[in-house]
Amino acid sequence: FRYYFPCQRWLAVEEDDGQIVRELVPVDEAFVKKDSENDGQSLATLGLEQKAKSTTYTVKVKTGDKKNAGTDANVFITLYGSKDDTGIVSLKASKINKNKFERGKVDEFTVESVDIGDLKKIKIGHDNKGNSTGWFLEWVEIDAPSLGQCLKFPCGRWLDKSEDDGAIERIIFPAKLQTTEYIPFVPYEITVYTSDIFGAGTDADVFIVLYGSDGICTQQKSLCLNKREQRMYFERNSVNQFIVELEDVGDIIEKIRIGHKGGGLNSGWHLDRVAIRRLLPNGK
């Protein structure tokens, strides 16, 4: 079932009432259908269909606090589940640090994969290239919202040809006592329509919160992963679709809160409407 949330107002400090966050309530489909009869087909791209069936993992990696613990080599990881594995994934862009895998630091990465089932083990290593290649890996933590699990993979060993046993990749199993369980997240398809008026687009960090019945709500979630996506999306007269994993608010969405964090040159935004569809996880 798709919910429609019309807005047709500015989210801009210098426009309208100056608010950059608005709460929207759903309306009957007939009120918005005339504009959007063909949107569904044009948006049903293969990439989004695949993304709807994928799972997003947040991978945190802690480099040990020892002399020469950091590495300049290229680090990769493979997640192994009960159904499948992710294949080799390069950990390229840390969401926290510009220089990744530095001594004593935690780096965070996003890994997308089709459903691999329950996480069983990981393999992590590096290619031994660069000036300072040896690495002391303290632990890896993987948060899998669709499973409702956050798992810790303790290591505490060198991945270094001249230290320990000389291995530069290791297979690590989760520590059962350090596994956190929570209610699994579900995927929502969120389609955002930016208005066709002068200056309607924004480069700001747009976020959303969904509210179900009985006061249940999701966390506040940014729709873009980084500044590059912020510059790409929410252009004037554009339609942008996102698959976002969030807490399950149930079958009824009573309202949403959508807004942005301001700042930058082009933060003001004229939002036409939002459409939301709760997807069944993993194609069930």
Side-chain angles (χ1 to χ4, degrees):
F1 188 82
R2 184 178 268 114
Y3 289 83
Y4 295 92
F5 298 85
C7 179
Q8 296 168 350
R9 292 185 69 179
W10 284 100
L11 287 79
V13 174
E14 301 87 8
E15 302 280 355
D16 203 333
D17 59 0
Q19 297 298 315
I20 60 172
V21 179
R22 299 201 181 280
E23 291 196 346
L24 310 177
V25 294
V27 300
D28 189 273
E29 185 179 357
F31 286 104
V32 293
K33 199 62 181 170
K34 61 182 187 299
D35 301 66
S36 59
E37 280 169 328
N38 298 317
D39 287 338
Q41 289 169 322
S42 63
L43 290 166
T45 62
L46 179 62
L48 278 167
E49 288 298 312
Q50 289 175 329
K51 191 165 183 181
K53 292 181 172 63
S54 72
T55 297
T56 304
Y57 301 94
T58 298
V59 178
K60 290 184 178 177
V61 180
K62 171 73 185 290
T63 299
D65 192 6
K66 290 176 176 281
K67 187 179 178 183
N68 300 324
T71 185
D72 296 330
N74 297 303
V75 174
F76 58 84
I77 192 169
T78 305
L79 280 54
Y80 295 88
S82 55
K83 299 178 184 175
D84 203 350
D85 64 71
T86 60
I88 296 172
V89 178
S90 294
L91 299 179
K92 286 185 176 174
S94 172
K95 294 168 103 174
I96 300 174
N97 305 305
K98 194 168 185 182
N99 289 332
K100 53 190 187 292
F101 310 122
E102 296 289 303
R103 174 179 174 175
K105 295 288 180 67
V106 175
D107 291 288
E108 184 178 314
F109 305 88
T110 299
V111 173
E112 258 185 31
S113 165
V114 296
D115 178 27
I116 61 171
D118 294 334
L119 274 173
K120 298 296 185 185
K121 63 181 181 181
I122 63 171
K123 180 161 72 176
I124 188 165
H126 61 76
D127 63 1
N128 207 44
K129 291 180 180 174
N131 295 324
S132 176
T133 58
W135 185 34
F136 190 88
L137 171 61
E138 196 71 58
W139 49 256
V140 177
E141 183 183 274
I142 299 179
D143 189 9
S146 65
L147 300 174
Q149 284 187 329
C150 186
L151 300 98
K152 196 78 162 271
F153 295 79
C155 181
R157 295 183 70 177
W158 286 97
L159 285 79
D160 188 337
K161 288 198 168 180
S162 58
E163 298 277 356
D164 203 333
D165 60 357
I168 58 170
E169 62 177 45
R170 299 200 179 277
I171 290 174
I172 315 173
F173 295 87
K176 287 186 178 176
L177 293 176
Q178 292 178 279
T179 298
T180 306
E181 306 265 354
Y182 56 92
I183 297 169
F185 284 24
V186 297
Y188 291 89
E189 176 192 86
I190 299 172
T191 309
V192 180
Y193 299 79
T194 299
S195 304
D196 186 15
I197 62 174
F198 180 75
T202 184
D203 293 333
D205 184 2
V206 173
F207 62 81
I208 196 166
V209 183
L210 312 186
Y211 293 83
S213 54
D214 301 323
I216 300 169
C217 71
T218 69
Q219 62 183 278
Q220 180 172 299
K221 178 78 171 179
S222 291
L223 294 178
C224 293
L225 293 174
N226 50 47
K227 284 190 164 57
R228 184 182 66 84
E229 287 194 359
Q230 288 174 32
R231 290 192 295 270
M232 283 171 52
Y233 299 138
F234 313 118
E235 298 289 304
R236 173 181 174 176
N237 195 31
S238 67
V239 181
N240 302 118
Q241 196 169 57
F242 306 89
I243 306 294
V244 181
E245 288 182 40
L246 289 167
E247 296 91 340
D248 190 352
V249 298
D251 291 333
I252 297 170
I253 303 174
E254 294 203 338
K255 67 176 181 179
I256 64 171
R257 179 188 288 138
I258 189 165
H260 61 77
K261 297 177 182 176
L265 294 173
N266 304 303
S267 64
W269 183 35
H270 199 283
L271 171 62
D272 183 68
R273 65 187 187 276
V274 180
I276 299 180
R277 197 160 60 109
R278 180 172 175 266
L279 303 171
L280 292 171
N282 303 329
K284 289 174 188 168

